[in-house]
């Protein structure tokens, strides 16, 4: 009963520069989040909700999804992980109650592919029972410990519903006994980037299966400069976005994970120039010069990435391609 293929680029590659965490048990935050310029909002039933508040939070989330204005945002709910007794009821209550107004379910602390497959199966059963479109609701898998990282390739290929792989740094740091209490910062005594292997491992698994890769939170919410530095590290590697925990981090994330205007314009020019040089009018050449730069098929592939990010961010180009005179 696995879901049908969900390979649509529109589904898998939604903008996720800023992924705002919102406690599902806080009606004020649920209301405020609707007006913030975050690409994605995830309403949290896991760590942000105390155990005694989880049941009421499910219903608050359903109400917010059905009655709120989430225009322009990817709507996600983070349920509790499969080792708890809350998971199945989280999924059933939220999806049955607000399935048509929900884009993805985020599953935390994923340790193996079977946990993703189980969620896929449960979602499919609910969709069929309720008469919803089968397979429309995506899955985000959060990697939060050593076992999950070791199995991340298998996890990334576990379901056609998967849209993103998310790094959860706090639990991960605890799981490997990292010597630091500041989530996202480098541990003292290590002269290099302690997160490089982890981030690249997740990124390779995600890209192998055409998924997005999202970096986790930076807990010093008033240190925007620190947030920018950590976010910049992930963006430089090729990550698509990062969690934000405070409105002050949203703008920084949107900026860091968008190309600069200069890079966006240049990428669009490369695409135009390559299209021209390979056309009959351009001489059907495999490469050409754009100013002092030689461009070819590899250039086009790199430019597609930057142009795609710029378009997703709603950027407008400020330059126009002029074909060279014959």
């Amino acid at each position: 009963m696995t879901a049908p293929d969900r390979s649509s680029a529109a589904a898998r590659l939604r903008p996720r520069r800023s992924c705002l965490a919102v406690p599902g048990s806080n009606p004020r935050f649920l209301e405020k989040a609707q007006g913030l310029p975050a690409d994605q909002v995830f309403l949290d039933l896991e760590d942000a909700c105390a155990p005694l508040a989880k049941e009421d939070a499910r219903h608050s989330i359903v109400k917010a999804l059905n009655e709120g204005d989430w225009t322009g945002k990817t709507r996600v709910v983070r349920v509790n992980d499969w080792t708890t007794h809350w998971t199945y009821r989280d999924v059933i209550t939220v999806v049955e109650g607000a399935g048509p107004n929900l884009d993805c379910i985020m599953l935390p602390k994923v340790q193996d592919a079977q946990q993703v497959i189980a969620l896929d199966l449960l979602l499919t059963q609910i969709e069929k029972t309720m008469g919803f479109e089968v397979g429309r609701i995506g899955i985000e898998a959060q990697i939060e410990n050593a076992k999950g990282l070791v199995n991340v390739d298998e996890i990334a290929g576990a379901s056609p519903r998967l849209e993103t792989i998310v790094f959860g740094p706090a639990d991960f740091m605890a799981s490997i006994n990292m010597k630091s209490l500041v989530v996202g910062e480098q541990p003292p005594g290590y002269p290099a980037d302690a997160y490089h292997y982890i981030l690249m491992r997740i990124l390779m698994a995600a890209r192998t299966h055409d998924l997005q890769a999202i970096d986790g939170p930076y807990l010093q919410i008033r240190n925007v400069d620190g947030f920018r530095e950590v976010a910049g590290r992930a963006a430089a590697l090729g990550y698509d976005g990062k969690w934000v925990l405070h409105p002050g981090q949203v703008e920084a994330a949107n900026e860091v994970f968008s190309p600069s205007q200069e890079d966006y314009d240049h990428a669009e020019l490369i695409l135009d120039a390559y299209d021209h040089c390979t056309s009959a009018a351009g001489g059907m050449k495999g490469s050409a010069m754009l100013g002092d730069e030689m461009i070819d098929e590899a250039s086009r592939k790199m430019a597609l990435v930057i142009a795609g990010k710029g378009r997703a961010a709603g950027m407008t180009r400020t330059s126009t391609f002029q074909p060279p005179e014959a």
Side-chain angles (χ1 to χ4, degrees), residues 24 26 111 202 226 245 265 277:
N26 191 314
Q111 299 187 65
I202 289 171
L245 304 181
D265 284 338
C277 80

Side-chain angles (χ1 to χ4, degrees), residues 2 4 35 66 166 173 194 198 205 247 255 262 302:
T2 56
N66 289 337
V166 182
M173 292 164 68
I198 302 166
E255 180 182 325
E262 180 181 1
M302 292 188 293

Side-chain angles (χ1 to χ4, degrees), residues 71-236:
T71 303
K73 295 176 174 57
T74 297
R75 303 155 298 178
V76 179
V77 173
R78 181 167 72 160
V79 298
N80 288 276
D81 76 273
W82 278 122
T83 67
T84 73
H85 64 280
W86 295 300
T87 318
Y88 83 100
R89 182 54 62 190
D90 288 345
V91 178
I92 291 170
T93 299
V94 169
V95 178
E96 287 191 351
N101 297 313
L102 175 67
D103 296 310
C104 295
I105 292 289
M106 185 188 300
L107 185 64
K109 298 177 177 62
V110 178
Q111 299 187 65
D112 58 55
Q114 293 304 312
Q115 294 178 328
V116 175
I117 293 169
L119 177 57
D120 184 322
L121 177 62
L122 181 55
L123 287 170
T124 300
Q125 291 179 336
I126 296 170
E127 288 165 338
K128 288 186 173 182
T129 298
M130 299 298 294
F132 299 154
E133 178 185 346
V134 175
R136 188 192 65 79
I137 297 172
I139 294 174
E140 299 192 354
Q142 192 175 7
I143 304 300
E144 300 188 72
N145 61 26
K147 185 176 181 180
L149 188 67
V150 168
N151 292 327
V152 70
D153 288 323
E154 180 183 285
I155 290 166
S159 166
R161 292 184 187 265
L162 268 167
E163 296 190 15
T164 70
I165 305 295
V166 182
F167 175 43
D171 282 280
F172 197 98
M173 292 164 68
S175 83
I176 62 172
N177 297 335
M178 185 176 283
K179 186 182 175 183
S180 177
L181 289 174
V182 183
V183 175
E185 291 285 6
Q186 299 299 324
Y190 189 72
D193 183 352
Y195 302 98
H196 182 75
Y197 170 75
I198 302 166
L199 290 172
M200 286 299 290
R201 190 75 184 79
I202 289 171
L203 183 63
M204 293 303 102
R207 294 297 189 251
T208 296
H209 296 276
D210 297 322
L211 308 180
Q212 291 185 321
I214 304 299
D215 193 16
Y218 183 76
L219 270 58
Q220 296 185 51
I221 59 174
R222 302 195 186 283
N223 182 3
V224 179
D225 289 340
F227 175 87
R228 284 180 180 276
E229 181 178 349
V230 172
R233 176 191 69 204

